[in-house]
């Protein structure tokens, strides 16, 4: 594991964008595994900035996102497809048909999971997987005690997650109850994993995930076993490591 300590959120974002852009420059047809959430937003902003300056070309890149809510249309402002369009895809020259996010409106979610696994396999696997990490150590929607050996699957969101998400919806009843997520097995098969963490509130879970025992109670702890892991964080998030 290689740890990159950055001073603050902006330099953490720049460092993470450096690693991702190096991947694309060295292998223009890279398959990038992408995450939503607040942490990678600054990294995406930096990548858009470098794209606008002509420093990166995404025309041959393929992307596969980690997860999506079931029941939300792609143009719903809380869907992860919408997030990716707003924060990255609409601002760079990635081909729309080369971007993949699980279909939140799939009538047969299990079949959608199988299709998604085939998409990843058909692309030859993921070159670089970007991950954020939840306060309980979740990665994607893989919550504590989830089996490590799963590929893409349907998850029931915990009551905690539903509560936490309620603020983004008109009422709690509108919050999706289920999601599709890449599993830990699929994540661990990526050739390089880039974890981004920021803020003091992540310090304790960063310590448990990267300096504690490998256990399904802290899903991200399995990342310690990955042969090519880059952890990029600001001082605050890495302060207990
Ligand atoms: C996002 C995802 C989540 C987030 C995690 C951290 O696609 O799957 O696991 O990475 O919840 O979110 P932030 O970055 O908002 O702290």
């Amino acid at each position: 594991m290689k740890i990159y300590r950055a001073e603050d959120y902006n330099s953490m974002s720049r460092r993470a964008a450096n690693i991702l852009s190096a991947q694309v420059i060295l292998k223009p047809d890279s398959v990038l595994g992408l995450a939503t959430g607040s942490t990678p937003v600054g990294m995406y902003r930096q990548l858009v900035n470098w794209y606008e300056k002509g420093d990166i070309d995404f025309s041959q890149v393929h992307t596969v996102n980690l997860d999506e809510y079931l029941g939300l249309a792609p143009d719903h402002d809380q869907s992860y497809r919408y997030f990716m369009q707003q924060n990255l895809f609409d601002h760079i020259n990635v081909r729309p048909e080369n971007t993949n996010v699980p279909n939140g409106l799939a009538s047969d979610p299990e079949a959608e999971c199988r299709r998604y696994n085939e998409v990843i396999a058909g692309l030859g696997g993921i070159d670089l997987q970007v991950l954020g990490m939840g306060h309980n150590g979740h990665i994607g929607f893989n919550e504590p005690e989830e089996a490590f050996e799963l590929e893409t699957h349907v998850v029931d969101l915990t009551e905690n997650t539903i509560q936490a998400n309620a603020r983004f919806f008109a009422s709690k009843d509108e919050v999706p109850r289920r999601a599709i997520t890449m599993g830990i097995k699929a994540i661990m098969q990526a050739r390089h994993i880039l974890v981004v963490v920021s803020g003091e509130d992540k310090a304790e879970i960063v310590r448990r995930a990267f300096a504690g025992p490998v256990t399904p109670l802290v899903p991200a702890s399995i990342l310690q076993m990955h042969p090519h892991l880059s952890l990029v964080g600001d001082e605050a998030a890495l302060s207990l490591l």
Side-chain angles (χ1 to χ4, degrees):
M1 163 169 45
K2 191 145 178 91
I3 302 175
Y4 298 87
R5 284 178 190 267
E7 204 178 319
D8 53 18
Y9 180 76
N10 283 340
S11 54
M12 180 279 290
S13 301
R14 213 162 36 243
R15 180 53 67 92
N18 270 142
I19 294 172
L20 194 146
S21 62
Q23 171 69 44
V24 173
I25 289 165
L26 292 172
K27 187 176 183 232
D29 60 349
S30 287
V31 179
L32 303 176
L34 299 177
T36 63
S38 54
T39 316
V41 167
M43 178 188 76
Y44 293 142
R45 202 179 303 131
Q46 181 66 72
L47 290 169
V48 169
N49 179 269
W50 286 336
Y51 166 72
E52 285 169 350
K53 288 183 175 152
D55 290 339
I56 325 177
D57 173 21
F58 291 93
S59 63
Q60 296 178 61
V61 162
H62 284 78
T63 68
V64 280
N65 259 79
L66 276 174
D67 43 14
E68 179 62 286
Y69 289 114
L70 274 171
L72 295 192
D75 60 354
H76 188 290
D77 66 3
Q78 292 304 320
S79 80
Y80 287 174
R81 163 57 80 176
Y82 184 86
F83 174 101
M84 290 309 301
Q85 295 298 140
Q86 295 292 313
N87 285 284
L88 187 66
F89 300 157
D90 285 349
H91 311 289
I92 60 173
N93 66 337
V94 66
R95 290 167 194 268
E97 64 273 26
N98 288 0
T99 66
N100 296 280
V101 180
N103 177 8
L105 293 184
S107 55
D108 181 347
E110 301 296 339
E112 173 62 6
C113 292
R114 288 193 294 278
R115 184 193 73 80
Y116 209 68
N117 287 332
E118 282 162 18
V119 166
I120 297 170
L123 290 170
I126 296 168
D127 290 304
L128 176 68
Q129 175 67 54
V130 177
L131 293 178
M133 198 169 75
H135 291 101
N136 60 0
H138 72 223
I139 46 180
F141 270 117
N142 297 282
E143 298 291 344
E145 297 187 66
E146 187 79 83
F148 281 154
E149 56 272 7
L150 288 171
E151 294 191 300
T152 308
H153 59 286
V154 176
V155 285
D156 291 318
L157 303 187
T158 60
E159 191 52 36
N160 269 348
T161 304
I162 294 168
Q163 286 286 0
N165 288 343
R167 65 186 191 279
F168 300 119
F169 294 83
S171 76
K172 196 181 150 197
D173 293 343
E174 285 181 30
V175 184
R177 284 347 198 212
R178 294 192 304 161
I180 289 180
T181 185
M182 272 167 56
I184 305 271
K185 179 176 175 186
I187 291 169
M188 287 295 280
Q189 283 170 344
R191 288 181 272 279
H192 181 184
I193 295 181
L194 168 61
V195 183
V196 288
V197 285
S198 169
E200 201 184 337
D201 55 316
K202 291 280 171 77
E204 176 58 20
I205 193 64
V206 167
R207 187 189 63 74
R208 289 176 64 204
F210 298 103
V214 174
T215 164
L217 296 175
V218 183
S221 64
I222 187 70
L223 300 173
Q224 293 179 39
M225 314 288 283
H226 195 279
H228 192 184
L229 176 73
S230 300
L231 171 63
V232 183
D234 54 21
E235 295 278 9
L238 300 182
S239 58
L240 300 179
L241 204 59

